[in-house]
Amino acid sequence: MDVFHTIVLAVIEGFTEFLPVSSTGHMIMASHLMGMPQTEFLKTFEIAIQLGAIAAVAGLYWRTFLLDWDIDAKILAAFVPTAIIGLLLYKIIKKTLLGNAWVVVWAWFIGGAFIILFERFYPMKNNIKDIKKISYPQALMIGVCRALAVVPGVSRSAATIIGGLILGVERKIIVEFSFLLAVPTMLAATVLDLIKTDAALSLDEWGMLGLGFLVAFIVAWGTVKFFIHFVQKNNFTIFGVYRILAAIAAGFYLNSLLS
């Protein structure tokens, strides 16, 4: 893994982390396209680099984190299911799911079809127009939905947002809640992975993580602002179509490698 690989993966992470398309899935497919071996460091990088994107959220929403403890408590409530499942399934996620391109292909395709059908047929309620109005049981249910995204390709953002929409949370509000929930989720995932791997990284590998963090932070800052404006006028059908097209293209590519 070199500087070029680091920058490419960091740009992909910063741009896709908060969109309902799966940043982890994109990084896995990108590493395959660039011919990168699926090393333990690459898997750690794909987890830890997400902190750069999360730092952008912390920078944009720091007032919420510091000044509104009620919202913080609800974010932590939503974080609990993912934390439990992440701890229980860590070995399976790291050894089997991360790096598996076919898992990403199927998750992209099924998730894309679900998004399209959801936007077409589900009656939107939009009863909750303020993050503070999300109850603790609702926050917990949103967290359960987000926990589905331990499967690469599902998308943490998509799972969280659709879960919130089903519960009647206004689109812009659940998108912002998804941003905030990403902070403890990815911070915990990174710390857990570094502990499990004993942080046995070389100086060069720490440098790659630092560079990736910076690039992902810059790209994610702009992406978060773009996405907030986007959801106020659009639904997510375009992302569903993109996921299906990406799955088909990736499937053909992977099949070509087998022939």
Side-chain angles (χ1 to χ4, degrees):
M1 184 170 179
D2 56 26
V3 171
F4 173 76
H5 294 145
T6 299
I7 293 175
V8 170
L9 293 180
V11 169
I12 291 172
E13 162 58 26
F15 187 66
T16 61
E17 174 63 37
F18 303 109
L19 304 181
V21 296
S22 176
S23 61
T24 302
H26 277 76
M27 285 192 288
I28 290 172
M29 289 306 305
S31 65
H32 276 273
L33 287 170
M34 291 188 290
M36 300 172 64
Q38 299 300 303
T39 63
E40 286 302 307
F41 172 68
L42 177 59
K43 293 178 181 180
T44 294
F45 182 88
E46 290 170 348
I47 295 173
I49 191 59
Q50 294 169 111
L51 278 183
I54 301 314
V57 169
L60 288 166
Y61 288 90
W62 65 269
R63 290 182 180 85
T64 299
F65 285 114
L66 293 180
L67 303 179
D68 201 315
W69 294 103
D70 181 51
I71 292 178
D72 289 344
K74 289 172 181 176
I75 292 169
L76 290 177
F79 165 68
V80 169
T82 302
I84 294 173
I85 292 176
L87 282 170
L88 293 176
L89 300 181
Y90 172 80
K91 288 186 178 179
I92 295 175
I93 295 168
K94 187 73 181 286
K95 301 296 183 182
T96 305
L97 298 180
L98 281 179
N100 191 322
W102 280 110
V103 170
V104 174
V105 169
W106 282 108
W108 271 349
F109 188 87
I110 295 171
F114 184 85
I115 288 173
I116 293 171
L117 293 172
F118 178 83
E119 292 287 15
R120 176 67 179 85
F121 296 108
Y122 191 79
M124 297 299 174
K125 303 172 185 177
N126 293 333
N127 298 325
I128 301 173
K129 303 181 182 295
D130 189 321
I131 288 183
K132 293 182 180 180
K133 299 297 183 182
I134 297 175
S135 67
Y136 285 99
Q138 287 171 330
L140 193 63
M141 286 303 300
I142 291 170
V144 170
C145 292
R146 189 180 185 87
L148 296 173
V150 296
V151 178
V154 170
S155 171
R156 290 175 294 274
S157 177
T160 305
I161 292 169
I162 290 177
L165 291 175
I166 290 173
L167 292 172
V169 183
E170 187 180 69
R171 194 175 297 264
K172 178 176 179 291
I173 299 303
I174 190 57
V175 167
E176 290 186 329
F177 191 82
S178 176
F179 291 164
L180 299 174
L181 180 54
V183 175
T185 302
M186 295 318 304
L187 179 61
T190 302
V191 171
L192 174 63
D193 188 70
L194 291 177
I195 291 174
K196 291 287 188 178
T197 56
D198 297 321
L201 305 178
S202 68
L203 186 61
D204 285 343
E205 288 172 336
W206 279 112
M208 294 296 179
L209 283 178
L211 174 61
F213 179 97
L214 178 61
V215 173
F217 173 84
I218 294 170
V219 176
W221 188 284
T223 302
V224 167
K225 291 188 172 183
F226 155 76
F227 197 36
I228 284 293
H229 290 294
F230 177 88
V231 299
Q232 294 180 45
K233 297 181 180 179
N234 304 275
N235 63 26
F236 299 138
T237 300
I238 188 172
F239 295 111
V241 173
Y242 167 78
R243 288 173 65 110
I244 290 175
L245 294 176
I248 293 172
F252 274 117
Y253 167 73
L254 293 176
N255 270 327
S256 71
L257 298 180
L258 299 176
S259 59

